[in-house]
Each structure stands twice: as C-alpha cells, then as structure tokens.
Amino acid sequence: MATEHPHDRLAHVSDGSAALRVSPPVIAPGHTFESVTDKISGIVLTKRTPIGWFFGFAIAFAFLMLLNLTIGHLLMTGIGIWGNNVPVGWAFDIINFVWWIGIGHAGTLISAILLLFRQQWRTSINRFAEAMTLFAVACAAMFPLLHTGRPWLAAYWLFPYPNTMGLWPQFRSPLIWDVFAVSTYFTVSLLFWFTGLVPDMATLRDRAQSKAARVVFGVLSLGWRGSAKHWQRYEMAYLLLAGISTPLVLSVHSVVSFDFAISVLPGWHATIFPPYFVAGAIYSGFAMVMTLAVPLRKFYHLEDFITMRHIHNMTKVMLVTGMIVAYGYANEAFFAWYSANPYEGYMMMNRMTGPYAVFYWSLIAINAAMIQLFWFRRVRDNVALLFVLSLFVNVGMWLERFIIIVTSLHRDFLPSSWDMYAPTRWDFAMFTGTIGLFLSLFFLFIRLLPALAMFELRTIVPQAKVQAGHHG
Amino acid sequence: MAHVAPTATIYGLMAEFETPTGLVEAAEQARLAGYRKLDAYSPIPIDELNEALALRRTRLPMLVLAGGILGGLAGYGLEYWSQAIAYPLNIGGRPLHSWPHFIPVTFETTVLGAALSAFVGMWALNGLPQPYHPVFNVPEFARASRDRFFLVIETADPRFDRHGTEQFLKGLHPVGVHEVAP
C-alpha cells in the first residue's frame, strides 16, 4: 500500500521536468486487486462512520429541512412567495434549474464521452460524478415542477398520457422538449450508474460482515458472479450506453437553451445558445466535480486514486470549456452591435451598464478572466486553490444564468412594462435548500455505496494485464 | 473418488487461479481438451477470455438498434397522433403536422428506447437477476469479486469425469481445485 506517499509532491517533481512533461499516473504505483478493493469497500463496510461525516451531513440535512419548509409554504400559499413579477416571470426557478442541470452534465460526460475516447483517467472519478449528476438533476427538476404551483396538476401539463379531459401536451413547445430531454437524461444516467454499480455490489456482498449488508448488497448485485459470458455482454452494454449517452448529454443542454432561443426576446433569441450552453454546462459540471473531489480525496485519503493527473485534467477541461463560454459572451456582444438591431443593442448596453451590471462584470471577471489562471502549472498543482477557484466557477455560472434570464426579461421592447426584479428570502431558502438536498444525498452516497468504481480501478492496476505469449 | 456415483451430486469442479493470465491459459487448455460446458469467473472483464472460451458475439447491439428505432417511431407517432389527430390546435398558423418541432422529442425517445433495451436486454440475456447459483457454494468463490480467478467445468459436460477432470485441472497450476455443490 502506498497511501503514505506524498503523491502531490511526487507529481510536482515529475511535472517539473519541463522537457519530458511526464504526467502523474492515473493510479499510484504499488496497488493491487486486493488493495484497491479493500480500500474502497472499506469506506462503505466500516462500522465506524467518521465524525466529520456526521458533522457535514448535519449541516446539509438542516438545509434539506429548510427546503421542506419552503416547499410546504409554497404549496400552501402559492408562488407569490417568490420574487417573480410580471416582466420577470421566470427568475430563480429557471436560473437554478439551468444551473443544476448544467452541473449534472459532467457525470455523463466523464462516464460516456471519456469512455469512448478511451481516457483511462475517467475511471476513478466516474462513479461519484455520475451520482452527482443524478442528484443535480433531481434538484433541477424541483424548480419547474414547483413553479407550476400545483405539481400534482403538472402531470397532464407535462406528460402525454390519456386523460379524461382529452388533453395532450403541446409538442411544439420547447418546454415539453425539456420535459422529455431531462427525464430521458435522468433515466439513462440512472441506468448507466446502476449498471456500473452491479459488479461493485457483488464485491460488497462478498465482503460484508453483517447479515443485513449481505442481504441488501446481495439483492442489489442481482446475483452477479463475474462470469466471462456475462462480462462480455456487460462490456458491450456499457459501451452502447456510452455511445447512446454521448449525443444525449449534448442534446440536453441544447434543448434547455431552446427554452430561451426559440423565443423572440433580445438576449435569448440567439443561434449561439445551444453550443454555448453545452460548453457552460460541462464547465460548471467539472467545477462541481472538482468541488466534491478535493474534499473527498482529502478526507478519505484517496490521493492514490484521484491523483494529480485527475486534478490537472479536470482543470484543463474547465479551461477549454470556460474559454468557449467566454467566446459565447464575446459573440453575444458582437452580434448585439453587428445586427444593428436597437433592441439587441440596448439589451447589451443594459447588461453592461444597467442596474445589474455588477453581476455581469462579476461573471466576466470569473468566467473570462479568472480562469486564465488555469494556464499555469503552479495553479494546477495547488489543490486548495483549485477548490476555491472551482467554487468561484460555480458562482460565475450561476451569475451567467441570472444575467441571461433577468436582464433580458426586465427590460424588453416596451419601456412601459419595464420593472426591477429582486429575489425574496424564500427564493434563497429554496435555492440553498436544494444545495442541502444535493449534499445530503451525496453524503449518504459516499457512506452507503462505493464512491469509486472498484471493478474499473482493478482493470488499471498492473496485475490486470494478461501476459503476452500465453498461447501455449 | 474413482467411482461414478458422486458425479451426479455435484455441479462441477472449480479451479482457482491467482492471475488473469493463469485463468486465460487454463480456459484455453480446457477448450483444447474438448470441454464445452465451462465458464470462467473474474473480478474484472478480461477481453482475452472471449477468445479463449470461443464466446460468440452478443446479439445485444441488434436489440439496442431495434429498441432505438422503436422508441423513435413511438415518439414521433405519439406527437403526430396527438397534435394532428387527437388534439389539433392552431399555434401561430403552423401546420398541424409541423415535423421540425417534433424532432427533439423523437430524438429523446430514440435514445430512451435504445438505452432501456441495452439495460433490460443485457440483464435478460445474462439471466440476471438470479437468486441462486451453485458457484456460490464454494467458500473460496467469495474472492471472485476481489482478486481471484476461477474456471468451472460442469458435470453436464460430456467429457466430464470426476477423477480425470480433477487431474486435468490440477495440471493447469491452480491455487486449488474445489468441488461445486449443486
């Protein structure tokens, strides 16, 4: 076991040889099937829950209770408790929806697209990134559902099912496309995640000491026994799911952007929206993976598996996608001027100099300027700094959605209908409440399920290679 | 050990290996020796085993293709039927069958159909979930999900012989050979 190695420093030393530019390994040297399996399954099977876990979970759970309170108040009173008003009919509900959905993109990107590109470094971060996706999408789905005010009626507004009123949803509306995109995304991500978990459930079943754990993991493992015939189909299914998920993950945020782009509102009606939204989603998703990975590797001593290689690569992905997003901002400004359309021009001037200008410039400062730090190796080597910067990226992407939604709506074509928007305390309660829900689920996940994919980690240890020339 | 009667009371013989290479070699030797009712068990997927055991390519991709096509047709069909026949509404003067608007949902249902058939199809072809299997009767088999590799030759194999097969398996340099209770 090489847990005590100062890997970060090792990585730094090997990075320092500028001529060779040796990347840190995707798994620390010295690991075997046993060490990988025991380390990851030990986190779940131990009887001792770390005290820090209780501490973190308690805080997250308190915010989850705040969410319950807010939803209760919302259902009793109505969405008037929010700050939404007449020009700004969509505010925190859609900002937070888009923010969460965007965060949810990294999981499937890591598990699907990086699998197709044979990026081995996906192996130790895919499991918890997929879990993060599911939890983020669950948080996202709350906002449009609760924005209807009466979610139990939303069933026939959103889903096509034969009802006694003879009503059908309007399939020409991007909002219905959204329902299909998000629910498909959630379903496929769940199938992918569960499929990946099954062999690990079998490991936990075989290693659990308590009868209850053996039964629970036994049921969840579906009787998996690692048969060669099963592995063959399993690998094929995994590859197919990855291939299917790749266009899916690109489609979801494109469809989310159609919610805006299909309208005629200046600031929304732009053809750049789909790629710009997808890049922003991957950017914010990787930022959230970084936000979760840094404490996770620190507190559970997973530096051997989530190595500096992962940290570097995630930072580079953030840099690339962040630059695409920054290009999107430049493109919006350029077209506002080049179109010579007075409404487009005013929208841009209003963003830059209007009442919400401070938010606009903050997001430019984060998403266009601050990310330039990621060019520097010294920054990429500084894990604590990257954690802080990833939090800023999360904030920056939230501000982006605030700017896109609120500044476009609050001053549209007719000055007589202009108004200002300010969120209420219930808006903030609901938003922080979903963060509580997200973190509560994540805390439960790392305690109850293997946070890293054991069977996939086993495939990258040196032992896993079948020696050449075995043909006797 | 040499008498025939006990063969009927066991499921098969299981050889345990320490490395994936050992298992691949053993699987290949067993195939060459004419055994057909055999299976290999490993904690990781091993591509070389497909060849060593001469596994046929899975039919799963065709199933997924069919599921995707079915999903797409169902999605488009639902849109056409509900918008043009069951509940026609004039939205901004667009035709009732305004097909470009129907593409995003058709795409999503295609993906959903393909993904569901990949998931359901894979588990169904694998015969899982399966609550009981004889291999779990061997205590050593608990390590099949951690760090050990197993080859099982079933008694149902026409070439199976309680004594001869055991000798054959022992000749493959395993860590141990175990009887698998049915």
Side-chain angles (χ1 to χ4, degrees):
Chain A
M1 284 287 288
T3 333
E4 289 80 29
H5 278 209
H7 287 290
D8 298 11
R9 209 168 309 142
L10 277 183
H12 188 77
V13 170
S14 60
D15 281 355
S17 54
L20 281 171
R21 294 262 151 139
V22 184
S23 290
V26 288
I27 186 166
H31 272 290
T32 60
F33 295 137
E34 299 89 323
S35 68
V36 168
T37 311
D38 297 355
K39 172 72 190 169
I40 310 293
S41 60
I43 296 172
V44 178
L45 294 174
T46 177
K47 288 207 169 62
R48 301 168 63 87
T49 307
I51 189 82
W53 186 92
F54 283 110
F55 190 69
F57 183 70
I59 295 173
F61 196 71
F63 280 99
L64 174 58
M65 291 300 104
L66 180 65
L67 177 67
N68 279 346
L69 181 75
T70 312
I71 292 174
H73 183 43
L74 182 88
L75 295 182
M76 302 284 282
T77 315
I79 60 163
I81 66 168
W82 289 347
N84 301 22
N85 54 29
V86 165
V88 189
W90 267 5
F92 261 43
D93 45 329
I94 194 92
I95 297 168
N96 297 333
F97 166 74
V98 179
W99 189 70
W100 277 123
I101 286 280
I103 285 169
H105 274 58
T108 312
L109 182 104
I110 290 170
S111 43
I113 299 183
L114 297 186
L115 179 80
L116 295 186
F117 285 129
R118 297 181 179 277
Q119 295 293 306
Q120 259 194 350
W121 60 279
R122 69 178 272 288
T123 301
S124 30
I125 53 173
N126 64 345
R127 174 70 49 72
F128 73 87
E130 285 168 33
M132 179 203 81
T133 287
L134 293 172
F135 305 152
V137 175
C139 290
M142 303 215 126
F143 287 97
L145 280 178
L146 291 169
H147 191 192
T148 64
R150 295 181 178 81
W152 53 94
L153 297 184
Y156 72 83
W157 300 338
L158 301 181
F159 295 104
Y161 70 95
N163 53 59
T164 50
M165 296 161 288
L167 294 176
W168 291 92
Q170 180 49 258
F171 282 106
R172 295 178 194 88
S173 162
L175 299 181
I176 288 299
W177 305 347
D178 227 9
V179 172
F180 276 81
V182 172
S183 55
T184 301
Y185 186 55
F186 185 82
T187 311
V188 174
S189 303
L190 184 68
L191 298 179
F192 206 177
W193 185 62
F194 181 75
T195 302
L197 270 169
V198 166
D200 282 1
M201 298 291 194
T203 303
L204 293 174
R205 169 200 68 201
D206 294 341
R207 296 184 51 71
Q209 300 296 320
S210 83
K211 173 102 178 133
R214 273 208 298 275
V215 170
V216 171
F217 289 125
V219 169
L220 290 174
S221 71
L222 310 179
W224 180 262
R225 54 185 189 272
S227 153
K229 287 171 194 155
H230 291 181
W231 275 124
Q232 187 201 24
R233 293 193 195 99
Y234 182 92
E235 291 274 282
M236 180 55 84
Y238 211 63
L239 189 67
L240 287 168
L241 280 173
I244 295 162
S245 305
T246 297
L248 175 66
V249 71
L250 300 178
S251 84
V252 174
H253 228 58
S254 300
V255 168
V256 169
S257 80
F258 290 161
D259 290 347
F260 305 101
I262 300 289
S263 76
V264 292
L265 197 70
W268 286 6
H269 189 59
T271 45
I272 187 134
F273 261 37
Y276 160 49
F277 266 52
V278 170
I282 295 166
Y283 171 59
S284 64
F286 267 85
M288 189 56 99
V289 174
M290 181 75 88
T291 307
L292 298 173
V294 169
L296 184 71
R297 80 196 274 273
K298 172 94 183 143
F299 291 122
Y300 284 97
H301 308 292
L302 295 170
E303 286 91 345
D304 284 6
F305 308 114
I306 305 172
T307 66
M308 286 314 289
R309 171 82 157 273
H310 300 94
I311 305 280
H312 285 176
N313 286 1
M314 287 195 280
T315 315
K316 288 174 190 168
V317 173
M318 277 201 276
L319 178 60
V320 171
T321 50
M323 297 280 277
I324 298 173
V325 171
Y327 173 78
Y329 301 148
N331 193 295
E332 276 186 318
F334 173 77
F335 271 96
W337 167 74
Y338 191 70
S339 68
N341 178 317
Y343 298 103
E344 289 281 340
Y346 179 74
M347 176 277 297
M348 208 61 221
M349 284 310 290
N350 183 42
R351 278 187 189 177
M352 290 177 171
T353 61
Y356 297 109
V358 60
F359 297 132
Y360 180 78
W361 293 111
S362 308
L363 87 89
I364 296 291
I366 295 170
N367 294 343
M370 186 200 81
I371 59 158
Q372 305 306 328
L373 289 172
F374 294 155
W375 287 102
F376 299 102
R377 190 164 284 262
R378 297 184 71 136
V379 173
R380 294 202 298 269
D381 279 334
N382 189 335
V383 179
L385 177 64
L386 286 175
F387 176 72
V388 175
L389 295 182
S390 74
L391 288 176
F392 270 102
V393 171
N394 290 324
V395 173
M397 285 309 291
W398 190 88
L399 288 173
E400 180 203 292
R401 277 67 176 251
F402 182 91
I403 286 294
I404 289 175
I405 289 154
V406 173
T407 63
S408 306
L409 281 171
H410 91 126
R411 289 181 179 174
D412 61 356
F413 303 98
L414 279 177
S416 62
S417 61
W418 290 1
D419 203 350
M420 286 296 288
Y421 165 77
T424 64
R425 72 177 83 166
W426 292 107
D427 279 306
F428 284 107
M430 178 111 183
F431 177 44
T432 50
T434 52
I435 296 176
L437 169 65
F438 176 78
L439 291 177
S440 300
L441 289 169
F442 199 77
F443 271 106
L444 289 174
F445 161 70
I446 53 179
R447 183 66 189 88
L448 298 174
L449 292 172
L452 273 59
M454 287 187 279
F455 90 86
E456 292 192 80
L457 280 171
R458 282 194 296 260
T459 62
I460 61 169
V461 302
Q463 266 177 306
K465 276 226 162 40
V466 173
Q467 303 300 319
H470 64 81
H471 295 273
Chain B
M1 282 267 227
H3 47 268
V4 185
T7 50
T9 64
I10 60 169
Y11 170 79
L13 284 171
M14 174 188 277
E16 181 179 352
F17 299 90
E18 267 184 324
T19 63
T21 313
L23 175 64
V24 172
E25 271 172 10
E28 213 163 54
Q29 293 296 326
R31 277 283 305 173
L32 292 175
Y35 290 105
R36 290 295 175 268
K37 285 212 161 281
L38 73 173
D39 204 352
Y41 300 89
S42 58
I44 51 167
I46 303 171
D47 291 341
E48 288 83 352
L49 274 179
N50 299 343
E51 201 191 326
L53 291 170
L55 295 182
R56 259 172 300 159
R57 284 175 64 89
T58 158
R59 290 164 294 166
L60 194 62
M62 294 315 284
L63 211 67
V64 173
L65 178 68
I69 292 171
L70 210 66
L73 290 176
Y76 197 91
L78 172 73
E79 290 180 281
Y80 177 75
W81 182 79
S82 68
Q83 305 302 298
I85 297 168
Y87 195 54
L89 281 181
N90 184 336
I91 304 292
R94 292 185 185 88
L96 292 176
H97 180 205
S98 45
W99 68 267
H101 288 90
F102 296 169
I103 298 304
V105 169
T106 305
F107 173 79
E108 302 298 340
T109 54
T110 306
V111 166
L112 188 64
L116 283 173
S117 40
F119 181 80
V120 176
M122 186 266 287
W123 295 119
L125 290 174
N126 279 349
L128 297 175
Q130 183 177 354
Y132 175 80
H133 195 274
V135 288
F136 290 111
N137 290 327
V138 179
E140 285 82 357
F141 192 74
R143 290 177 75 177
S145 61
R146 179 170 175 253
D147 60 342
R148 284 292 163 91
F149 300 79
F150 297 86
L151 181 72
V152 173
I153 299 180
E154 295 174 30
T155 40
D157 192 291
R159 296 183 71 94
F160 186 88
D161 162 61
R162 178 67 188 78
H163 186 66
T165 303
E166 186 172 356
Q167 289 310 313
F168 169 75
L169 286 174
K170 280 187 173 157
L172 300 171
H173 318 295
V175 191
V177 176
H178 318 286
E179 268 187 3
V180 185

